[in-house]
Amino acid sequence: MFWIAIILLLAASFLFVLHRRAFKRPLNAIAFTVGIAIVFITIGYLTSERANALNNETHFTHTNTSNPSTFLFSIDEVLKPTMYQDKYVVTLKTINKEATSGKVILNVNRDSISHRLRVGEWHYTRALLLPLPKPKNPYQFDYGSYLKRKQIHGQLSINKNVLLISQHTSSGLRVWSSRFRESVLKAIHSHSFTSDQLAVIDALVLGQKNGIDKQMSTHYASAGMMHILAVSGLHVGIILLLLRFITKPIADYKLRWLRSMIIIAMIWVFAFITGLSPSVLRAATMFSFLEIGQQLGGKRKSTDAVMISAVVLLLYNPLLIYQVGFQLSYLAVIGILWIQPWLSSFYTPRYYIDRLLWGIATVSVAAQLGVLPLSLFYFHQFPGLFFLSNVIIIPFLGIILGGGILVALLAIIGILPDYIVAAYGFIIDLMNGFIFWVANKEAFITDHITISFALLIGLYLCIVFSISLLKKYNNLRLVAASMSIVLLTSIIIYEKSNPPARHLTIFNKSKSTMVGVLNNSTLKIHSTDSLHTIIQDSRVRNYKNGLRIDEVAVESMQHYFRFKRKEILVIDSLGVYQLANANPDYILLTQSPKININRLTERFPEAQIIADASNYKSYITRWKTTCLIKKIPFHNTYEKGAYIIE
């Protein structure tokens, strides 16, 4: 750290010397640019080191937690529950009465009478601190890595009866915000909204997505309107436009800064009401800087303000750059600021409705161009009717969001009349009905699109340089656009000519067996499940997307596989393995066969034993013990995940 600080000091001194003469000569301009790059890289490194919780000497990873310990922790965030567990983000305070720090996930087994824990509460428990989960199948979402990027490095899984509440409690703005939001939710839920209406209202107005079920989430995603259910940039942007409209009477030149201060203050009030979630804080910061940039004047100032807000947020928390929401938000805003004015110049509307629809259309296309490659990279689908959804919904979203805020205020005051409940519920039902109708037009939804990181970069270069050329033609831009297209084409040709290597995968799947064989860009799935179950299985979808394969052949489970020069014997619940001329290199045990593992290993002493997740854990423990004694390789997919034979 000392030498890093010295480098930063020298680079800053170097810039101070050059700043008066930076652009008088080309060499000085280059030196100034290099100096700026060194300063920002150094600041980024120092900030990352400061923000890394693992560098804290009191962090729990520096403590021996291999045995059950007594933990004191505070509840920081309430996560969406699963069918069997309530989930929280907690900050550790002590381990066995020794001061500690660090965040972990708390999983509390659900029962019918327990109430959920609240933000700010402190609790004691005695448990074993567990590592974060690792993906058990190829191309599966790595939840553990996702949590580590949020400075969460462990988890506790307990029953509610082993929790003991502490007299200590947390205080502060985030806790007050959580309490206020709880009271608003309680007030709204006391009225006669349906469950679907409440789910949308909670998400739209208060940022609470716990009531959104999988079907509703899928429909909104398929319609390209998932951003409606996540309080972030879109909602804060609409709040900004509403506030500008309301404060228009005080838009006199001498009062314009007063107007901006009122708008910024109200944006942060909305952030407080919605619980100060990271996405809302990010959006509130970005639009606060955007409002300041607009008052300073000009499109260039607005763009600079957005960039400054990103730098400020990254200085506060460098790990934000890994969050998908941060990336999508800023790319969407950059797309709108850079592309939308150019698109809007193609047509000059004459009437108000015309201007409104044309503005929404150009903003939607500009934002979509900004986020399209990244959306394909992360979510593997493109909603073809996103344009229709946005043009129909966005004009009314300000009214819907404003109505939701009014409903929340009237509910908390206790004067929300039934006719407003019925009217607002009807509006929510209309929006849900339209979204579901769009989502059911499956012909317009292109899914299972997988692009590599190299292709992602190639797409963005092609978009940027092509639009630059279309906006203003010159030879340099023509060369840049041509080279970007050549690069993109080269990446596509290279990836098509280098398909994934042949391999066989034994998946980790509870209660059933599934084997995937990739051979000559053809994927076959052998399973004991039905065809419909296999096609809908997330393991198959992730595998298919990861391998960039369009079609999958499904076949019944076999008892013997020959792959390359390897042979795999499958022993299921029937326990039959007396096959003539069998000389397997691998033996897959499935469906808890009642076999004598000693006899099996004596018959095939050179074979490696693999047990998948369809077996009873007690059987696997017994088999593993025998194999360890006999020094026979043993792979348990429960513990180690899928087994791949290449």
Side-chain angles (χ1 to χ4, degrees):
M1 294 293 289
F2 173 77
W3 289 109
I4 295 295
I6 293 296
I7 293 173
L8 178 61
L9 180 62
L10 291 175
S13 302
F14 180 65
L15 289 176
F16 180 77
V17 172
L18 287 175
H19 83 284
R20 292 181 180 275
R21 304 171 58 193
F23 297 101
K24 292 182 179 179
R25 296 179 181 176
L27 181 61
N28 285 344
I30 294 172
F32 188 81
T33 303
V34 171
I36 286 288
I38 293 173
V39 167
F40 272 90
I41 291 172
T42 307
I43 291 175
Y45 177 80
L46 290 173
T47 307
S48 299
E49 288 297 299
R50 174 193 58 80
N52 189 351
L54 297 178
N55 292 332
N56 191 334
E57 293 181 355
T58 63
H59 196 268
F60 68 85
T61 54
H62 305 308
T63 304
N64 183 7
T65 54
S66 57
N67 297 316
S69 305
T70 300
F71 299 93
L72 173 64
F73 55 83
S74 63
I75 307 296
D76 284 358
E77 185 181 353
V78 180
L79 302 177
K80 187 174 182 177
T82 64
M83 186 178 297
Y84 303 107
Q85 291 181 321
D86 291 325
K87 303 175 79 68
Y88 309 88
V89 176
V90 305
T91 296
L92 299 181
K93 303 296 183 181
T94 64
I95 298 178
N96 297 327
K97 298 184 179 180
E98 294 291 332
T100 191
S101 63
K103 293 184 178 183
V104 301
I105 292 291
L106 175 68
N107 304 303
V108 182
N109 294 329
R110 305 184 74 178
D111 57 50
S112 58
I113 59 174
S114 64
H115 65 279
R116 303 199 72 188
L117 308 182
R118 304 174 73 194
V119 172
E121 293 180 343
W122 289 35
H123 292 268
Y124 289 99
T125 192
R126 185 166 181 81
L128 179 64
L129 186 61
L130 302 172
L132 294 174
K134 295 181 179 180
K136 296 293 182 66
N137 289 292
Y139 308 107
Q140 182 180 347
F141 173 65
D142 194 342
Y143 185 56
S145 295
Y146 166 77
L147 292 177
K148 287 179 181 178
R149 289 195 291 268
K150 300 183 74 173
Q151 301 283 19
I152 300 170
H153 294 277
Q155 60 177 334
L156 296 168
S157 294
I158 61 173
N159 293 319
K160 189 67 176 290
N161 57 11
V162 300
L163 277 175
L164 179 64
I165 194 166
S166 169
Q167 294 180 345
H168 297 283
T169 57
S170 299
S171 59
L173 193 62
R174 193 179 294 273
V175 176
W176 298 339
S177 171
S178 177
R179 295 290 181 271
F180 179 77
R181 188 169 56 176
E182 287 173 2
S183 62
V184 174
L185 284 169
K186 184 177 179 181
I188 292 176
H189 283 232
S190 65
H191 291 81
S192 57
F193 291 108
T194 66
S195 58
D196 284 348
Q197 291 169 358
L198 286 172
V200 174
I201 294 170
D202 292 351
L204 184 67
V205 181
L206 298 170
Q208 285 287 291
K209 296 190 289 184
N210 292 349
I212 302 294
D213 58 27
K214 187 175 181 180
Q215 183 183 25
M216 181 178 290
S217 178
T218 301
H219 283 151
Y220 270 80
S222 299
M225 299 299 291
M226 194 62 193
H227 50 287
I228 289 180
L229 300 181
V231 175
S232 56
L234 175 64
H235 302 73
V236 178
I238 290 173
I239 294 294
L240 174 65
L241 294 176
L242 289 175
L243 290 171
R244 283 179 178 173
F245 177 77
I246 294 171
T247 58
K248 197 172 183 180
I250 60 171
D252 183 78
Y253 178 81
K254 295 180 180 180
L255 298 176
R256 62 191 180 93
W257 280 105
L258 174 62
R259 181 195 188 196
S260 291
M261 292 303 102
I262 293 173
I263 289 174
I264 292 172
M266 295 308 297
I267 285 175
W268 284 97
V269 168
F270 178 72
F272 175 84
I273 293 173
T274 54
L276 297 173
S277 67
S279 60
V280 174
L281 290 176
R282 179 179 65 241
T285 302
M286 180 170 61
F287 281 100
S288 296
F289 275 91
L290 185 61
E291 175 64 22
I292 294 171
Q294 287 238 336
Q295 292 304 324
L296 292 174
K299 173 187 157 186
R300 176 64 182 271
K301 296 294 184 182
S302 298
T303 305
D304 291 345
V306 170
M307 294 298 100
I308 292 171
S309 72
V311 172
V312 169
L313 286 170
L314 291 175
L315 286 174
Y316 172 72
N317 182 8
L319 296 180
L320 281 174
I321 199 166
Y322 295 110
Q323 295 187 11
V324 178
F326 179 88
Q327 298 167 12
L328 292 174
S329 294
Y330 275 93
L331 285 171
V333 171
I334 291 170
I336 291 170
L337 291 175
W338 185 55
I339 302 175
Q340 192 272 339
W342 171 65
L343 290 176
S344 63
S345 66
F346 285 93
Y347 172 62
T348 304
R350 296 179 57 188
Y351 306 104
Y352 174 76
I353 297 296
D354 201 11
R355 288 197 302 272
L356 178 64
L357 293 177
W358 180 242
I360 293 171
T362 54
V363 166
S364 298
V365 173
Q368 195 67 36
L369 283 172
V371 303
L372 177 60
L374 200 66
S375 298
L376 296 178
F377 182 73
Y378 284 120
F379 306 119
H380 313 298
Q381 70 173 20
F382 175 71
L385 292 178
F386 82 92
F387 184 80
L388 175 64
S389 302
N390 280 273
V391 169
I392 299 297
I393 296 294
I394 296 300
F396 302 102
L397 191 57
I399 299 173
I400 296 171
L401 183 57
I405 295 174
L406 176 63
V407 166
L409 290 175
L410 294 178
I412 197 68
I413 296 172
I415 57 171
L416 179 60
D418 290 340
Y419 70 88
I420 291 184
V421 171
Y424 192 67
F426 178 71
I427 292 172
I428 296 297
D429 286 339
L430 283 178
M431 184 175 72
N432 283 342
F434 175 74
I435 294 295
F436 294 169
W437 177 79
V438 173
N440 286 326
K441 305 301 178 183
E442 296 182 358
F444 295 94
I445 301 172
T446 307
D447 55 5
H448 302 302
I449 305 173
T450 303
I451 64 174
S452 63
F453 183 75
L455 191 56
L456 170 71
I457 300 301
L459 280 171
Y460 270 117
L461 290 175
C462 192
I463 290 173
V464 170
F465 290 126
S466 297
I467 292 178
S468 296
L469 176 65
L470 292 172
K471 290 176 74 173
K472 183 179 180 181
Y473 177 87
N474 60 43
N475 291 335
L476 181 61
R477 295 188 180 195
L478 177 60
V479 171
S482 301
M483 291 181 64
S484 68
I485 294 173
V486 170
L487 175 63
L488 180 63
T489 306
S490 301
I491 293 172
I492 294 173
I493 293 173
Y494 175 80
E495 291 184 350
K496 288 291 185 181
S497 59
N498 290 273
R502 297 170 58 200
H503 61 271
L504 180 147
T505 301
I506 299 170
F507 290 88
N508 178 71
K509 184 178 182 182
S510 61
K511 299 180 181 180
S512 65
T513 301
M514 190 160 66
V515 175
V517 180
L518 178 67
N519 197 356
N520 296 327
S521 298
T522 301
L523 177 62
K524 290 183 180 180
I525 298 294
H526 301 266
S527 178
T528 56
D529 289 330
S530 65
L531 175 63
H532 176 75
T533 302
I534 296 169
I535 295 300
Q536 296 298 320
D537 196 294
S538 61
R539 300 166 188 81
V540 175
R541 291 201 305 270
N542 293 335
Y543 196 56
K544 177 178 163 184
N545 290 334
L547 294 173
R548 297 193 289 275
I549 290 176
D550 297 326
E551 298 295 332
V552 176
V554 179
E555 298 184 2
S556 60
M557 195 64 197
Q558 299 176 189
H559 288 93
Y560 210 85
F561 290 90
R562 286 183 173 86
F563 180 76
K564 294 185 177 179
R565 296 184 178 181
K566 305 293 184 181
E567 298 183 14
I568 302 99
L569 171 64
V570 181
I571 303 177
D572 58 18
S573 58
L574 298 177
V576 176
Y577 59 89
Q578 304 290 341
L579 301 179
N581 302 321
N583 187 27
D585 300 280
Y586 303 91
I587 297 175
L588 173 59
L589 301 177
T590 71
Q591 308 297 322
S592 304
K594 296 180 180 179
I595 58 171
N596 187 315
I597 192 67
N598 286 298
R599 293 178 184 171
L600 178 65
T601 54
E602 287 173 2
R603 179 175 177 82
F604 305 113
E606 302 297 325
Q608 177 172 344
I609 307 297
I610 303 168
D612 68 9
S614 68
N615 298 289
Y616 297 134
K617 289 187 177 181
S618 58
Y619 283 29
I620 294 177
T621 302
R622 186 171 70 248
W623 297 335
K624 181 179 179 180
T625 302
T626 302
C627 289
L628 286 175
I629 293 172
K630 293 191 168 190
K631 298 182 179 181
I632 295 174
F634 184 84
H635 183 96
N636 173 15
T637 65
Y638 272 120
E639 297 176 352
K640 300 179 181 180
Y643 191 85
I644 300 176
I645 302 172
E646 296 181 340

